[in-house]
Amino acid sequence: MKYFKLPDLGEGLPEAEIVEWHVQEGDQVEVDQTLVSVETAKAIVEVPSPQTGVIAHLFGVAGDTIHTGEPLVEFAGGEDADSGTVVGQLSQARNTDSQRESFIIGAAPSSREAAQQRTTPAVRSLAQRLGVSLDTLRGSGPEGRVTAGDVERAADMDQSFGAPEPLRGVRKQMAKAMAQSHAEVVPVTLCEDADIDHWPEGTDITMRLVQAVAAACAAVPDLNVWFDGQQLARRTHGKIDLGVAVDTEQGLFVPVLRDIGNRSSDDLRDGLNRLRADVKARSIPPAEMQGATITLSNFGTLAGRYASPIIVPPQVAIVGAGVIRRQPVAAGDAVCVHRVMPLSLTFDHRAATGGEAARFMQALIQALSA
């Protein structure tokens, strides 16, 4: 038997969710034939077959989470020769699902397998009879085991309020990233306004923001860094790779616009358009969603004046731009009505001082007001 395991789909993404199998057990497949479509935190990826052969077993069904290094398919015939990211010979499976579970070496079990391990056969039978998904339960028994009482309480909740819908794909990864930020970052937010009344009609607002962030990073590079909270160390960057928040029906994506300080406005616009098109088509390579040194959220295209944007470690800063509006401003001794852009800057106070953040905001406003 030969076991093909989920490979690294891009810069260490730890897991993927099965979207659709393109083969069935017993199918003859060829090299590079698509076996399965999986959804990572970044995109939907088609996984090809590494060899010609007959599919003996599929590990998982649509909706299951598979970790890098876990088996995806079992090929019929021959001795196992490792084909994935986990090194080492694997024992052959002959009869039971429990034997197959023992083949997962060097990787955490999937959510379904973890739930199976945290319950007894009687509890699993009860959950199946009551229509309760064990994946959604937090066990109250010893060592986190799911008990019959846990299942019965969940069934009562489902009957009263409907079954919970587990987060998947992009939304699941967003929830994890936000929880990590809340646990690690010490956020402080500054708010200020930029007078942009002098901007001509048709100004590309997003590009002005991108270039202003580049100017602010050049003036105050202390916010264009990564911070390691474990080692209490900062990593400075010679260029500015800007994460640009993109809202979609599937959730929040943050593709990375590279080296914004050394590119023309037209080149940046073309690059951002390509990234957004790839995000919409769910075809963006995982590498294009990683490595940002600072982030921009232009939520003002939708609604809102100020915000407290969330920093995603190891970054230490994120800029938010609200809805542009006309409002009274003091111009000398007169009061005039100007177009004003509200700005929010959240920074990690572990890695940057209030003075550095204030100077960054000042440089940002100066660039927008130029």
Side-chain angles (χ1 to χ4, degrees), residues 11-13 29 36 43 75 80 119 125 130 147 170-171 203 209 211 215 222 231 252 316 337 347:
E11 298 193 23
L13 291 173
V29 298
V36 61
F75 288 98
D80 179 57
T119 60
S125 176
L130 296 179
T147 67
V170 179
R171 291 185 182 275
T203 294
L209 281 166
Q211 292 175 317
D222 304 274
Q231 301 296 325
L252 178 66
V316 303
V337 177
F347 67 98

Short mmCIF file of all heavy atoms in Angstrom, two decimals, residues 11-13 29 36 43 75 80 119 125 130 147 170-171 203 209 211 215 222 231 252 316 337 347:
data_model
loop_
_atom_site.label_atom_id
_atom_site.label_comp_id
_atom_site.label_asym_id
_atom_site.label_seq_id
_atom_site.Cartn_x
_atom_site.Cartn_y
_atom_site.Cartn_z
N GLU A 11 4.25 27.65 2.41
CA GLU A 11 4.87 28.35 3.53
C GLU A 11 4.32 27.91 4.88
O GLU A 11 3.97 28.71 5.74
CB GLU A 11 4.74 29.86 3.36
CG GLU A 11 5.44 30.38 2.11
CD GLU A 11 5.59 31.88 2.11
OE1 GLU A 11 5.56 32.48 3.18
OE2 GLU A 11 5.72 32.44 1.02
N GLY A 12 4.19 26.58 5.02
CA GLY A 12 3.89 26.05 6.34
C GLY A 12 2.45 26.14 6.79
O GLY A 12 2.18 26.06 7.98
N LEU A 13 1.49 26.30 5.87
CA LEU A 13 0.08 26.28 6.29
C LEU A 13 -0.20 24.94 6.95
O LEU A 13 0.05 23.89 6.37
CB LEU A 13 -0.84 26.48 5.08
CG LEU A 13 -0.79 27.87 4.44
CD1 LEU A 13 -1.61 27.89 3.16
CD2 LEU A 13 -1.30 28.93 5.39
N VAL A 29 -6.29 6.23 -11.37
CA VAL A 29 -5.88 7.62 -11.56
C VAL A 29 -4.51 7.67 -12.21
O VAL A 29 -3.72 6.71 -12.13
CB VAL A 29 -5.86 8.39 -10.22
CG1 VAL A 29 -7.24 8.44 -9.60
CG2 VAL A 29 -4.85 7.79 -9.25
N VAL A 36 -8.36 15.94 -5.16
CA VAL A 36 -9.25 16.59 -4.21
C VAL A 36 -9.02 18.09 -4.25
O VAL A 36 -7.92 18.56 -4.54
CB VAL A 36 -8.99 16.05 -2.77
CG1 VAL A 36 -7.58 16.33 -2.32
CG2 VAL A 36 -10.00 16.56 -1.77
N ALA A 43 -6.69 30.06 0.16
CA ALA A 43 -7.28 29.84 -1.16
C ALA A 43 -7.79 28.41 -1.26
O ALA A 43 -7.55 27.57 -0.38
CB ALA A 43 -6.25 30.11 -2.26
N PHE A 75 -3.22 4.13 -1.89
CA PHE A 75 -3.16 3.47 -3.19
C PHE A 75 -3.06 1.97 -3.00
O PHE A 75 -2.35 1.49 -2.10
CB PHE A 75 -1.95 3.97 -3.99
CG PHE A 75 -2.08 5.37 -4.50
CD1 PHE A 75 -1.50 6.42 -3.81
CD2 PHE A 75 -2.80 5.65 -5.65
CE1 PHE A 75 -1.62 7.72 -4.28
CE2 PHE A 75 -2.93 6.95 -6.11
CZ PHE A 75 -2.33 7.99 -5.43
N ASP A 80 4.59 0.43 1.02
CA ASP A 80 4.47 1.87 1.20
C ASP A 80 5.82 2.56 0.98
O ASP A 80 6.83 2.17 1.53
CB ASP A 80 3.98 2.20 2.61
CG ASP A 80 3.89 3.70 2.82
OD1 ASP A 80 3.16 4.33 2.05
OD2 ASP A 80 4.55 4.21 3.75
N THR A 119 -14.12 10.41 23.10
CA THR A 119 -15.42 9.86 23.48
C THR A 119 -15.35 8.34 23.56
O THR A 119 -14.39 7.72 23.11
CB THR A 119 -16.49 10.24 22.43
OG1 THR A 119 -16.12 9.72 21.16
CG2 THR A 119 -16.65 11.73 22.32
N SER A 125 -22.43 6.70 19.83
CA SER A 125 -23.72 6.18 19.38
C SER A 125 -24.85 7.12 19.78
O SER A 125 -25.78 7.38 18.99
CB SER A 125 -23.95 4.78 19.98
OG SER A 125 -25.22 4.28 19.63
N LEU A 130 -28.90 11.27 18.34
CA LEU A 130 -29.50 12.59 18.61
C LEU A 130 -29.13 13.62 17.55
O LEU A 130 -29.60 14.76 17.62
CB LEU A 130 -29.07 13.08 19.99
CG LEU A 130 -29.55 12.25 21.19
CD1 LEU A 130 -29.05 12.85 22.49
CD2 LEU A 130 -31.08 12.16 21.20
N THR A 147 -18.94 13.69 27.42
CA THR A 147 -19.79 12.77 28.16
C THR A 147 -21.18 12.71 27.55
O THR A 147 -21.55 13.53 26.70
CB THR A 147 -19.89 13.19 29.63
OG1 THR A 147 -20.61 14.45 29.69
CG2 THR A 147 -18.52 13.38 30.25
N VAL A 170 -11.81 30.41 5.41
CA VAL A 170 -11.27 31.73 5.72
C VAL A 170 -11.78 32.25 7.05
O VAL A 170 -11.03 32.83 7.85
CB VAL A 170 -11.63 32.72 4.59
CG1 VAL A 170 -11.11 34.11 4.91
CG2 VAL A 170 -11.04 32.25 3.27
N ARG A 171 -13.07 32.07 7.33
CA ARG A 171 -13.63 32.57 8.59
C ARG A 171 -13.02 31.84 9.80
O ARG A 171 -12.78 32.45 10.85
CB ARG A 171 -15.14 32.42 8.60
CG ARG A 171 -15.83 33.35 7.62
CD ARG A 171 -17.34 33.27 7.73
NE ARG A 171 -17.97 34.14 6.76
CZ ARG A 171 -18.21 35.44 6.95
NH1 ARG A 171 -17.86 36.00 8.09
NH2 ARG A 171 -18.79 36.15 6.02
N THR A 203 -9.31 61.35 -7.92
CA THR A 203 -8.09 60.87 -7.27
C THR A 203 -8.28 59.41 -6.84
O THR A 203 -9.33 59.03 -6.31
CB THR A 203 -7.77 61.73 -6.03
OG1 THR A 203 -7.45 63.06 -6.44
CG2 THR A 203 -6.58 61.15 -5.27
N LEU A 209 -3.51 56.39 -0.23
CA LEU A 209 -3.29 55.79 1.08
C LEU A 209 -2.07 54.88 1.09
O LEU A 209 -1.26 54.91 2.02
CB LEU A 209 -4.54 55.00 1.50
CG LEU A 209 -5.71 55.80 2.05
CD1 LEU A 209 -6.97 54.95 2.10
CD2 LEU A 209 -5.38 56.32 3.45
N GLN A 211 0.56 55.01 -0.85
CA GLN A 211 1.78 55.81 -0.93
C GLN A 211 2.03 56.58 0.36
O GLN A 211 3.19 56.79 0.76
CB GLN A 211 1.69 56.76 -2.13
CG GLN A 211 1.72 56.01 -3.46
CD GLN A 211 1.52 56.93 -4.65
OE1 GLN A 211 0.66 57.82 -4.62
NE2 GLN A 211 2.29 56.72 -5.71
N ALA A 215 5.32 56.46 2.75
CA ALA A 215 6.04 57.66 3.22
C ALA A 215 6.18 57.65 4.73
O ALA A 215 7.24 58.01 5.28
CB ALA A 215 5.30 58.91 2.76
N ASP A 222 10.16 52.38 12.58
CA ASP A 222 9.93 51.58 13.78
C ASP A 222 8.60 50.83 13.75
O ASP A 222 8.40 49.89 14.53
CB ASP A 222 9.96 52.48 15.02
CG ASP A 222 11.25 53.25 15.12
OD1 ASP A 222 12.23 52.71 15.66
OD2 ASP A 222 11.30 54.39 14.62
N GLN A 231 10.79 35.91 22.18
CA GLN A 231 12.20 36.28 22.32
C GLN A 231 12.39 37.76 22.67
O GLN A 231 13.51 38.18 22.95
CB GLN A 231 12.93 35.99 20.99
CG GLN A 231 12.86 34.55 20.54
CD GLN A 231 13.55 33.61 21.51
OE1 GLN A 231 14.57 33.97 22.11
NE2 GLN A 231 13.01 32.41 21.66
N LEU A 252 -12.63 37.63 5.27
CA LEU A 252 -11.60 38.65 5.08
C LEU A 252 -10.33 38.04 4.53
O LEU A 252 -9.78 37.09 5.09
CB LEU A 252 -11.30 39.33 6.42
CG LEU A 252 -10.21 40.40 6.41
CD1 LEU A 252 -10.64 41.60 5.58
CD2 LEU A 252 -9.86 40.82 7.83
N VAL A 316 3.37 44.94 13.81
CA VAL A 316 3.18 45.77 15.00
C VAL A 316 2.27 46.96 14.72
O VAL A 316 2.04 47.77 15.63
CB VAL A 316 4.52 46.26 15.57
CG1 VAL A 316 5.43 45.09 15.89
CG2 VAL A 316 5.22 47.23 14.62
N VAL A 337 -15.94 74.42 5.07
CA VAL A 337 -16.36 73.02 4.95
C VAL A 337 -15.39 72.33 3.98
O VAL A 337 -15.32 72.70 2.80
CB VAL A 337 -17.81 72.90 4.45
CG1 VAL A 337 -18.17 71.43 4.27
CG2 VAL A 337 -18.76 73.56 5.45
N PHE A 347 -1.20 50.29 17.12
CA PHE A 347 0.17 49.79 17.20
C PHE A 347 0.33 48.93 18.44
O PHE A 347 -0.43 49.05 19.41
CB PHE A 347 1.18 50.95 17.20
CG PHE A 347 1.14 51.81 18.44
CD1 PHE A 347 2.04 51.62 19.47
CD2 PHE A 347 0.19 52.83 18.57
CE1 PHE A 347 2.01 52.42 20.61
CE2 PHE A 347 0.16 53.63 19.71
CZ PHE A 347 1.06 53.42 20.73
#
